[in-house]
Amino acid sequence: MTDTPPATPDPAAGRPGDGGARSLPDWRAAARGTLIERMGITIETLSAEHVVGTMPVAGNTQPAGLLHGGASAALAETLGSFAAQAHAGPGRTAVGIELNATHHRGVREGVVRGEARAVHLGRSTASYEIVVTDEAGRRVCTSRLTCMVIG
């Protein structure tokens, strides 16, 4: 399961697929006290089709000083999960059921940026390709996430 904030149960809050009409500050507030906050992940843009976020390398490294592969995977799952939750809409939720990650290069400092783009937006599943890049725009990690939409 992922750290995806739950959808609002109020059907009047929005249409299916619009993320329950939650604002970006609402989503940010829902991340307080979670792994998302502890890793310094910030969400910049959010829709069911496309999410952009960043994460600092500092504090998310392995003993050799490189960005931890699990941190890249956590960033990818966070971005894809937020998008899937926006797709799920009010009264429904999205949970991760499959994640893969290919690591292309190491990063020692700065901030990495992730972009999740929808590959499939269905009634019961949503899939995303997430590309994580360094500050020079070089690909650090490519992930794919599939979420089940329930509720």
Side-chain angles (χ1 to χ4, degrees), residues 4-116:
T4 305
T8 176
D10 180 5
R15 298 180 334 273
D18 72 356
R22 282 186 156 186
S23 68
L24 195 50
D26 290 339
W27 288 98
R28 289 178 181 138
R32 286 191 193 117
T34 68
L35 178 69
I36 297 164
E37 183 178 62
R38 286 189 291 284
M39 294 184 75
I41 296 171
T42 60
I43 306 298
E44 297 176 359
T45 63
L46 171 66
S47 73
E49 295 81 20
H50 183 234
V51 174
V52 176
T54 61
M55 179 180 70
V57 173
N60 293 311
T61 59
Q62 37 98 317
L66 295 170
L67 178 64
H68 195 291
S72 293
L75 173 61
E77 184 156 1
T78 297
L79 299 178
S81 293
F82 267 67
Q85 186 58 56
H87 171 64
R92 302 178 78 198
T93 194
V95 295
I97 59 173
E98 190 267 342
L99 174 72
N100 70 26
T102 301
H103 305 290
H104 307 293
R105 71 174 55 247
V107 180
R108 291 188 179 277
E109 60 187 15
V111 174
V112 290
R113 179 178 191 269
E115 282 195 59

